[in-house]
Amino acid sequence: ETGVTQSPTHLIKTRGQQVTLRCSSQSGHNTVSWYQQALGQGPQFIFQYYREEENGRGNFPPRFSGLQFPNYSSELNVNALELDDSALYLCASRGTVIGYTFGSGTRLTVV
Amino acid sequence: AQSVTQLGSHVSVSEGALVLLRCNYSSSVPPYLFWYVQYPNQGLQLLLKYTSAATLVKGINGFEAEFKKSETSFHLTKPSAHMSDAAEYFCAVTLANQAGTALIFGKGTTLSVSS
């Protein structure tokens, strides 16, 4: 198992900018989901992809978008960054076994 | 819609004491339930999961949880706390066999362990 890796680990952006966060899932994990974890809160579901198609979305605006690629990597894109977007962003993947494997996250700070 | 409530945002125990972290869920269909642990500046690590097999589930690091449908609960226990158990714990629910549904988390419980 190679686990789930996320990059970068930390990022500082200015309000109004755009950001792309990356995730590399385990081989064979066709489902990837992204979560936002604000300080002191539980993770909040952003969206989920299965075989490169979005098949679930949480209560996040359209400026949060994503992509999943055939090589088990994925991206989270956020446009028009706001101060409240500052959070830990977590990627999680799963295969056929029930349960998600999480990466260590990307800490995004918007100033 | 499903939801999770974790009772007690902060639990403090002494080393060697019983750990009990409470989780109640709400789900209109049979759920899958999970407990995750998060250490500072890290991602989430799966402790254990309930997927409609045995109601008493054993996980890593000596933790276990019991699924009680009548009480809609999935409390996490450990007989004897260790200093290394100090962390943030999250209970999560997802719908069984439903594509497109991901994990819904509680707000978390911070476990402190004193010597």
Side-chain angles (χ1 to χ4, degrees):
Chain A
E1 276 191 7
T2 56
V4 177
T5 56
Q6 294 188 240
S7 62
T9 55
H10 294 82
L11 199 54
I12 299 175
K13 288 287 192 177
T14 303
R15 188 171 49 181
Q17 284 188 313
Q18 178 267 341
V19 68
T20 297
L21 309 181
R22 293 182 171 83
C23 172
S24 178
S25 305
Q26 293 181 213
S27 179
H29 281 201
N30 294 312
T31 300
V32 65
S33 51
W34 285 86
Y35 295 81
Q36 180 195 66
Q37 186 179 18
L39 203 59
Q41 300 294 316
Q44 298 290 314
F45 173 57
I46 303 175
F47 49 62
Q48 179 167 279
Y49 279 78
Y50 174 70
R51 298 192 178 212
E52 304 161 52
E53 297 281 337
E54 184 181 299
N55 72 343
R57 190 175 183 91
N59 189 25
F60 280 80
R63 60 189 185 84
F64 286 79
S65 63
L67 286 170
Q68 186 186 24
F69 303 101
N71 64 351
Y72 304 108
S73 65
S74 62
E75 292 180 351
L76 164 64
N77 299 288
V78 187
N79 293 322
L81 283 166
E82 301 177 359
L83 297 179
D84 285 349
D85 296 334
S86 295
L88 179 69
Y89 288 84
L90 295 164
C91 168
S93 70
R94 64 165 286 189
T96 54
V97 175
I98 298 166
Y100 288 83
T101 301
F102 281 81
S104 297
T106 294
R107 175 73 63 186
L108 173 65
T109 302
V110 182
V111 297
Chain B
Q2 65 272 37
S3 65
V4 168
T5 302
Q6 290 185 242
L7 301 175
S9 60
H10 199 149
V11 171
S12 297
V13 300
S14 299
E15 193 172 20
L18 171 72
V19 175
L20 171 60
L21 304 182
R22 300 177 187 273
C23 172
N24 288 89
Y25 70 92
S26 172
S27 179
S28 56
V29 297
Y32 292 153
L33 293 158
F34 306 81
W35 275 99
Y36 283 88
V37 61
Q38 186 176 37
Y39 296 99
N41 300 313
Q42 293 189 26
L44 302 174
Q45 181 184 8
L46 179 66
L47 283 175
L48 49 79
K49 62 185 177 183
Y50 166 76
T51 57
S52 73
T55 57
L56 182 61
V57 181
K58 294 187 184 297
I60 62 172
N61 302 337
F63 285 94
E64 63 180 38
E66 186 172 8
F67 173 71
K68 292 187 177 181
K69 183 178 178 180
S70 61
E71 299 177 9
T72 61
S73 69
F74 191 57
H75 302 330
L76 182 70
T77 61
K78 181 174 181 177
S80 178
H82 192 273
M83 297 293 285
S84 61
D85 294 327
E88 188 81 12
Y89 291 80
F90 292 97
C91 181
V93 63
T94 192
L95 300 181
N97 301 322
Q98 302 231 351
T101 59
L103 293 169
I104 304 300
F105 286 87
K107 293 187 176 181
T109 298
T110 301
L111 176 65
S112 299
V113 182
S114 58
S115 56

PDB file of all heavy atoms in Angstrom, chain A residues 37-62:
ATOM      1  N   GLN A  37     -11.780  20.906   6.620  1.00  0.00           N
ATOM      2  CA  GLN A  37     -11.819  20.882   8.079  1.00  0.00           C
ATOM      3  C   GLN A  37     -11.348  22.226   8.611  1.00  0.00           C
ATOM      4  O   GLN A  37     -10.156  22.531   8.618  1.00  0.00           O
ATOM      5  CB  GLN A  37     -10.956  19.745   8.632  1.00  0.00           C
ATOM      6  CG  GLN A  37     -11.086  19.600  10.136  1.00  0.00           C
ATOM      7  CD  GLN A  37     -10.259  18.471  10.700  1.00  0.00           C
ATOM      8  OE1 GLN A  37      -9.332  17.971  10.067  1.00  0.00           O
ATOM      9  NE2 GLN A  37     -10.586  18.042  11.907  1.00  0.00           N
ATOM     10  N   ALA A  38     -12.291  23.028   9.064  1.00  0.00           N
ATOM     11  CA  ALA A  38     -11.947  24.300   9.703  1.00  0.00           C
ATOM     12  C   ALA A  38     -11.390  24.023  11.097  1.00  0.00           C
ATOM     13  O   ALA A  38     -11.633  22.962  11.676  1.00  0.00           O
ATOM     14  CB  ALA A  38     -13.180  25.193   9.783  1.00  0.00           C
ATOM     15  N   LEU A  39     -10.677  24.972  11.633  1.00  0.00           N
ATOM     16  CA  LEU A  39     -10.027  24.798  12.927  1.00  0.00           C
ATOM     17  C   LEU A  39     -11.054  24.461  14.010  1.00  0.00           C
ATOM     18  O   LEU A  39     -12.060  25.159  14.153  1.00  0.00           O
ATOM     19  CB  LEU A  39      -9.280  26.076  13.289  1.00  0.00           C
ATOM     20  CG  LEU A  39      -8.129  25.942  14.283  1.00  0.00           C
ATOM     21  CD1 LEU A  39      -7.068  24.984  13.766  1.00  0.00           C
ATOM     22  CD2 LEU A  39      -7.516  27.303  14.579  1.00  0.00           C
ATOM     23  N   GLY A  40     -10.823  23.366  14.712  1.00  0.00           N
ATOM     24  CA  GLY A  40     -11.705  22.985  15.814  1.00  0.00           C
ATOM     25  C   GLY A  40     -13.014  22.351  15.396  1.00  0.00           C
ATOM     26  O   GLY A  40     -13.908  22.158  16.226  1.00  0.00           O
ATOM     27  N   GLN A  41     -13.137  22.003  14.125  1.00  0.00           N
ATOM     28  CA  GLN A  41     -14.374  21.418  13.610  1.00  0.00           C
ATOM     29  C   GLN A  41     -14.122  20.035  13.024  1.00  0.00           C
ATOM     30  O   GLN A  41     -12.979  19.658  12.775  1.00  0.00           O
ATOM     31  CB  GLN A  41     -14.973  22.317  12.529  1.00  0.00           C
ATOM     32  CG  GLN A  41     -15.319  23.723  12.992  1.00  0.00           C
ATOM     33  CD  GLN A  41     -16.433  23.727  14.003  1.00  0.00           C
ATOM     34  OE1 GLN A  41     -17.432  23.021  13.849  1.00  0.00           O
ATOM     35  NE2 GLN A  41     -16.281  24.511  15.060  1.00  0.00           N
ATOM     36  N   GLY A  42     -15.198  19.313  12.780  1.00  0.00           N
ATOM     37  CA  GLY A  42     -15.094  18.058  12.071  1.00  0.00           C
ATOM     38  C   GLY A  42     -14.996  18.306  10.574  1.00  0.00           C
ATOM     39  O   GLY A  42     -15.383  19.361  10.085  1.00  0.00           O
ATOM     40  N   PRO A  43     -14.477  17.354   9.823  1.00  0.00           N
ATOM     41  CA  PRO A  43     -14.405  17.515   8.363  1.00  0.00           C
ATOM     42  C   PRO A  43     -15.789  17.644   7.741  1.00  0.00           C
ATOM     43  O   PRO A  43     -16.725  16.958   8.151  1.00  0.00           O
ATOM     44  CB  PRO A  43     -13.716  16.218   7.910  1.00  0.00           C
ATOM     45  CG  PRO A  43     -13.000  15.706   9.117  1.00  0.00           C
ATOM     46  CD  PRO A  43     -13.854  16.094  10.280  1.00  0.00           C
ATOM     47  N   GLN A  44     -15.897  18.516   6.754  1.00  0.00           N
ATOM     48  CA  GLN A  44     -17.131  18.724   6.012  1.00  0.00           C
ATOM     49  C   GLN A  44     -16.952  18.219   4.584  1.00  0.00           C
ATOM     50  O   GLN A  44     -15.978  18.582   3.917  1.00  0.00           O
ATOM     51  CB  GLN A  44     -17.495  20.208   5.989  1.00  0.00           C
ATOM     52  CG  GLN A  44     -17.746  20.810   7.361  1.00  0.00           C
ATOM     53  CD  GLN A  44     -19.020  20.308   7.988  1.00  0.00           C
ATOM     54  OE1 GLN A  44     -20.061  20.260   7.345  1.00  0.00           O
ATOM     55  NE2 GLN A  44     -18.953  19.929   9.260  1.00  0.00           N
ATOM     56  N   PHE A  45     -17.893  17.419   4.117  1.00  0.00           N
ATOM     57  CA  PHE A  45     -17.838  16.812   2.790  1.00  0.00           C
ATOM     58  C   PHE A  45     -17.996  17.872   1.709  1.00  0.00           C
ATOM     59  O   PHE A  45     -18.974  18.615   1.704  1.00  0.00           O
ATOM     60  CB  PHE A  45     -18.935  15.757   2.690  1.00  0.00           C
ATOM     61  CG  PHE A  45     -19.119  15.148   1.331  1.00  0.00           C
ATOM     62  CD1 PHE A  45     -18.068  14.520   0.683  1.00  0.00           C
ATOM     63  CD2 PHE A  45     -20.346  15.182   0.714  1.00  0.00           C
ATOM     64  CE1 PHE A  45     -18.243  13.943  -0.559  1.00  0.00           C
ATOM     65  CE2 PHE A  45     -20.547  14.603  -0.528  1.00  0.00           C
ATOM     66  CZ  PHE A  45     -19.497  13.983  -1.169  1.00  0.00           C
ATOM     67  N   ILE A  46     -17.028  17.912   0.763  1.00  0.00           N
ATOM     68  CA  ILE A  46     -17.104  18.848  -0.355  1.00  0.00           C
ATOM     69  C   ILE A  46     -17.715  18.156  -1.574  1.00  0.00           C
ATOM     70  O   ILE A  46     -18.756  18.574  -2.069  1.00  0.00           O
ATOM     71  CB  ILE A  46     -15.714  19.417  -0.719  1.00  0.00           C
ATOM     72  CG1 ILE A  46     -15.085  20.101   0.501  1.00  0.00           C
ATOM     73  CG2 ILE A  46     -15.834  20.393  -1.889  1.00  0.00           C
ATOM     74  CD1 ILE A  46     -13.665  20.582   0.269  1.00  0.00           C
ATOM     75  N   PHE A  47     -17.048  17.132  -2.061  1.00  0.00           N
ATOM     76  CA  PHE A  47     -17.584  16.345  -3.171  1.00  0.00           C
ATOM     77  C   PHE A  47     -16.835  15.021  -3.287  1.00  0.00           C
ATOM     78  O   PHE A  47     -15.817  14.802  -2.633  1.00  0.00           O
ATOM     79  CB  PHE A  47     -17.536  17.088  -4.522  1.00  0.00           C
ATOM     80  CG  PHE A  47     -16.224  17.731  -4.864  1.00  0.00           C
ATOM     81  CD1 PHE A  47     -15.058  17.001  -5.019  1.00  0.00           C
ATOM     82  CD2 PHE A  47     -16.176  19.108  -5.044  1.00  0.00           C
ATOM     83  CE1 PHE A  47     -13.867  17.611  -5.332  1.00  0.00           C
ATOM     84  CE2 PHE A  47     -14.971  19.730  -5.359  1.00  0.00           C
ATOM     85  CZ  PHE A  47     -13.829  18.974  -5.499  1.00  0.00           C
ATOM     86  N   GLN A  48     -17.405  14.152  -4.140  1.00  0.00           N
ATOM     87  CA  GLN A  48     -16.829  12.819  -4.329  1.00  0.00           C
ATOM     88  C   GLN A  48     -16.806  12.480  -5.818  1.00  0.00           C
ATOM     89  O   GLN A  48     -17.735  12.834  -6.556  1.00  0.00           O
ATOM     90  CB  GLN A  48     -17.653  11.782  -3.565  1.00  0.00           C
ATOM     91  CG  GLN A  48     -17.172  10.352  -3.712  1.00  0.00           C
ATOM     92  CD  GLN A  48     -17.826   9.442  -2.698  1.00  0.00           C
ATOM     93  OE1 GLN A  48     -17.434   9.371  -1.540  1.00  0.00           O
ATOM     94  NE2 GLN A  48     -18.853   8.731  -3.146  1.00  0.00           N
ATOM     95  N   TYR A  49     -15.771  11.772  -6.238  1.00  0.00           N
ATOM     96  CA  TYR A  49     -15.655  11.305  -7.609  1.00  0.00           C
ATOM     97  C   TYR A  49     -15.526   9.788  -7.633  1.00  0.00           C
ATOM     98  O   TYR A  49     -14.875   9.187  -6.765  1.00  0.00           O
ATOM     99  CB  TYR A  49     -14.425  11.919  -8.290  1.00  0.00           C
ATOM    100  CG  TYR A  49     -14.654  13.312  -8.791  1.00  0.00           C
ATOM    101  CD1 TYR A  49     -14.649  14.389  -7.910  1.00  0.00           C
ATOM    102  CD2 TYR A  49     -14.914  13.568 -10.130  1.00  0.00           C
ATOM    103  CE1 TYR A  49     -14.877  15.676  -8.366  1.00  0.00           C
ATOM    104  CE2 TYR A  49     -15.130  14.845 -10.593  1.00  0.00           C
ATOM    105  CZ  TYR A  49     -15.118  15.898  -9.697  1.00  0.00           C
ATOM    106  OH  TYR A  49     -15.352  17.168 -10.139  1.00  0.00           O
ATOM    107  N   TYR A  50     -16.202   9.195  -8.638  1.00  0.00           N
ATOM    108  CA  TYR A  50     -16.076   7.764  -8.879  1.00  0.00           C
ATOM    109  C   TYR A  50     -15.772   7.592 -10.356  1.00  0.00           C
ATOM    110  O   TYR A  50     -16.555   8.013 -11.211  1.00  0.00           O
ATOM    111  CB  TYR A  50     -17.350   7.031  -8.489  1.00  0.00           C
ATOM    112  CG  TYR A  50     -17.345   5.567  -8.838  1.00  0.00           C
ATOM    113  CD1 TYR A  50     -16.523   4.687  -8.147  1.00  0.00           C
ATOM    114  CD2 TYR A  50     -18.135   5.068  -9.866  1.00  0.00           C
ATOM    115  CE1 TYR A  50     -16.492   3.333  -8.459  1.00  0.00           C
ATOM    116  CE2 TYR A  50     -18.114   3.720 -10.187  1.00  0.00           C
ATOM    117  CZ  TYR A  50     -17.289   2.853  -9.480  1.00  0.00           C
ATOM    118  OH  TYR A  50     -17.249   1.514  -9.799  1.00  0.00           O
ATOM    119  N   ARG A  51     -14.630   6.997 -10.648  1.00  0.00           N
ATOM    120  CA  ARG A  51     -14.213   6.756 -12.026  1.00  0.00           C
ATOM    121  C   ARG A  51     -14.355   8.014 -12.879  1.00  0.00           C
ATOM    122  O   ARG A  51     -14.979   7.991 -13.941  1.00  0.00           O
ATOM    123  CB  ARG A  51     -14.980   5.582 -12.634  1.00  0.00           C
ATOM    124  CG  ARG A  51     -14.722   4.303 -11.888  1.00  0.00           C
ATOM    125  CD  ARG A  51     -15.211   3.060 -12.614  1.00  0.00           C
ATOM    126  NE  ARG A  51     -14.884   1.865 -11.843  1.00  0.00           N
ATOM    127  CZ  ARG A  51     -14.598   0.692 -12.380  1.00  0.00           C
ATOM    128  NH1 ARG A  51     -14.573   0.546 -13.689  1.00  0.00           N
ATOM    129  NH2 ARG A  51     -14.321  -0.325 -11.615  1.00  0.00           N
ATOM    130  N   GLU A  52     -13.795   9.098 -12.355  1.00  0.00           N
ATOM    131  CA  GLU A  52     -13.668  10.381 -13.041  1.00  0.00           C
ATOM    132  C   GLU A  52     -14.967  11.161 -13.196  1.00  0.00           C
ATOM    133  O   GLU A  52     -14.983  12.210 -13.872  1.00  0.00           O
ATOM    134  CB  GLU A  52     -12.995  10.200 -14.413  1.00  0.00           C
ATOM    135  CG  GLU A  52     -11.630   9.520 -14.304  1.00  0.00           C
ATOM    136  CD  GLU A  52     -11.160   8.920 -15.620  1.00  0.00           C
ATOM    137  OE1 GLU A  52     -11.156   9.668 -16.617  1.00  0.00           O
ATOM    138  OE2 GLU A  52     -10.804   7.726 -15.641  1.00  0.00           O
ATOM    139  N   GLU A  53     -16.044  10.709 -12.576  1.00  0.00           N
ATOM    140  CA  GLU A  53     -17.308  11.433 -12.622  1.00  0.00           C
ATOM    141  C   GLU A  53     -17.700  11.848 -11.202  1.00  0.00           C
ATOM    142  O   GLU A  53     -17.624  11.042 -10.267  1.00  0.00           O
ATOM    143  CB  GLU A  53     -18.420  10.557 -13.198  1.00  0.00           C
ATOM    144  CG  GLU A  53     -18.210  10.122 -14.636  1.00  0.00           C
ATOM    145  CD  GLU A  53     -18.549  11.219 -15.627  1.00  0.00           C
ATOM    146  OE1 GLU A  53     -19.337  12.122 -15.279  1.00  0.00           O
ATOM    147  OE2 GLU A  53     -18.014  11.179 -16.750  1.00  0.00           O
ATOM    148  N   GLU A  54     -18.160  13.077 -11.035  1.00  0.00           N
ATOM    149  CA  GLU A  54     -18.653  13.508  -9.728  1.00  0.00           C
ATOM    150  C   GLU A  54     -19.960  12.792  -9.438  1.00  0.00           C
ATOM    151  O   GLU A  54     -20.908  12.863 -10.235  1.00  0.00           O
ATOM    152  CB  GLU A  54     -18.852  15.029  -9.696  1.00  0.00           C
ATOM    153  CG  GLU A  54     -19.270  15.528  -8.317  1.00  0.00           C
ATOM    154  CD  GLU A  54     -19.499  17.038  -8.293  1.00  0.00           C
ATOM    155  OE1 GLU A  54     -18.550  17.800  -8.574  1.00  0.00           O
ATOM    156  OE2 GLU A  54     -20.640  17.457  -7.973  1.00  0.00           O
ATOM    157  N   ASN A  55     -20.037  12.126  -8.283  1.00  0.00           N
ATOM    158  CA  ASN A  55     -21.265  11.402  -7.951  1.00  0.00           C
ATOM    159  C   ASN A  55     -21.798  11.765  -6.573  1.00  0.00           C
ATOM    160  O   ASN A  55     -22.622  11.042  -6.022  1.00  0.00           O
ATOM    161  CB  ASN A  55     -21.057   9.886  -8.072  1.00  0.00           C
ATOM    162  CG  ASN A  55     -20.202   9.324  -6.961  1.00  0.00           C
ATOM    163  OD1 ASN A  55     -19.500  10.062  -6.269  1.00  0.00           O
ATOM    164  ND2 ASN A  55     -20.266   8.015  -6.775  1.00  0.00           N
ATOM    165  N   GLY A  56     -21.344  12.869  -6.028  1.00  0.00           N
ATOM    166  CA  GLY A  56     -21.881  13.339  -4.755  1.00  0.00           C
ATOM    167  C   GLY A  56     -21.274  14.683  -4.426  1.00  0.00           C
ATOM    168  O   GLY A  56     -20.117  14.950  -4.753  1.00  0.00           O
ATOM    169  N   ARG A  57     -22.068  15.549  -3.804  1.00  0.00           N
ATOM    170  CA  ARG A  57     -21.576  16.878  -3.478  1.00  0.00           C
ATOM    171  C   ARG A  57     -22.211  17.352  -2.181  1.00  0.00           C
ATOM    172  O   ARG A  57     -23.399  17.126  -1.944  1.00  0.00           O
ATOM    173  CB  ARG A  57     -21.902  17.853  -4.610  1.00  0.00           C
ATOM    174  CG  ARG A  57     -21.211  19.192  -4.462  1.00  0.00           C
ATOM    175  CD  ARG A  57     -21.443  20.095  -5.658  1.00  0.00           C
ATOM    176  NE  ARG A  57     -20.711  21.352  -5.511  1.00  0.00           N
ATOM    177  CZ  ARG A  57     -19.482  21.551  -5.955  1.00  0.00           C
ATOM    178  NH1 ARG A  57     -18.844  20.600  -6.624  1.00  0.00           N
ATOM    179  NH2 ARG A  57     -18.859  22.711  -5.764  1.00  0.00           N
ATOM    180  N   GLY A  58     -21.409  18.007  -1.375  1.00  0.00           N
ATOM    181  CA  GLY A  58     -21.903  18.602  -0.147  1.00  0.00           C
ATOM    182  C   GLY A  58     -22.370  20.022  -0.391  1.00  0.00           C
ATOM    183  O   GLY A  58     -22.517  20.465  -1.532  1.00  0.00           O
ATOM    184  N   ASN A  59     -22.569  20.760   0.689  1.00  0.00           N
ATOM    185  CA  ASN A  59     -23.111  22.102   0.600  1.00  0.00           C
ATOM    186  C   ASN A  59     -21.994  23.132   0.384  1.00  0.00           C
ATOM    187  O   ASN A  59     -21.731  23.976   1.254  1.00  0.00           O
ATOM    188  CB  ASN A  59     -23.898  22.415   1.888  1.00  0.00           C
ATOM    189  CG  ASN A  59     -24.676  23.695   1.776  1.00  0.00           C
ATOM    190  OD1 ASN A  59     -25.028  24.125   0.678  1.00  0.00           O
ATOM    191  ND2 ASN A  59     -24.924  24.325   2.902  1.00  0.00           N
ATOM    192  N   PHE A  60     -21.359  23.060  -0.750  1.00  0.00           N
ATOM    193  CA  PHE A  60     -20.297  23.992  -1.105  1.00  0.00           C
ATOM    194  C   PHE A  60     -20.627  24.653  -2.441  1.00  0.00           C
ATOM    195  O   PHE A  60     -21.205  24.022  -3.323  1.00  0.00           O
ATOM    196  CB  PHE A  60     -18.945  23.258  -1.205  1.00  0.00           C
ATOM    197  CG  PHE A  60     -18.300  23.018   0.128  1.00  0.00           C
ATOM    198  CD1 PHE A  60     -18.705  21.959   0.925  1.00  0.00           C
ATOM    199  CD2 PHE A  60     -17.308  23.856   0.598  1.00  0.00           C
ATOM    200  CE1 PHE A  60     -18.132  21.744   2.174  1.00  0.00           C
ATOM    201  CE2 PHE A  60     -16.719  23.652   1.834  1.00  0.00           C
ATOM    202  CZ  PHE A  60     -17.132  22.587   2.622  1.00  0.00           C
ATOM    203  N   PRO A  61     -20.251  25.938  -2.603  1.00  0.00           N
ATOM    204  CA  PRO A  61     -20.596  26.657  -3.833  1.00  0.00           C
ATOM    205  C   PRO A  61     -19.816  26.133  -5.029  1.00  0.00           C
ATOM    206  O   PRO A  61     -18.806  25.434  -4.878  1.00  0.00           O
ATOM    207  CB  PRO A  61     -20.197  28.103  -3.505  1.00  0.00           C
ATOM    208  CG  PRO A  61     -19.154  27.999  -2.454  1.00  0.00           C
ATOM    209  CD  PRO A  61     -19.528  26.783  -1.626  1.00  0.00           C
ATOM    210  N   PRO A  62     -20.256  26.503  -6.237  1.00  0.00           N
ATOM    211  CA  PRO A  62     -19.632  26.010  -7.478  1.00  0.00           C
ATOM    212  C   PRO A  62     -18.174  26.431  -7.643  1.00  0.00           C
ATOM    213  O   PRO A  62     -17.464  25.819  -8.449  1.00  0.00           O
ATOM    214  CB  PRO A  62     -20.499  26.637  -8.571  1.00  0.00           C
ATOM    215  CG  PRO A  62     -21.808  26.890  -7.928  1.00  0.00           C
ATOM    216  CD  PRO A  62     -21.498  27.254  -6.507  1.00  0.00           C
TER     217      PRO A  62
END
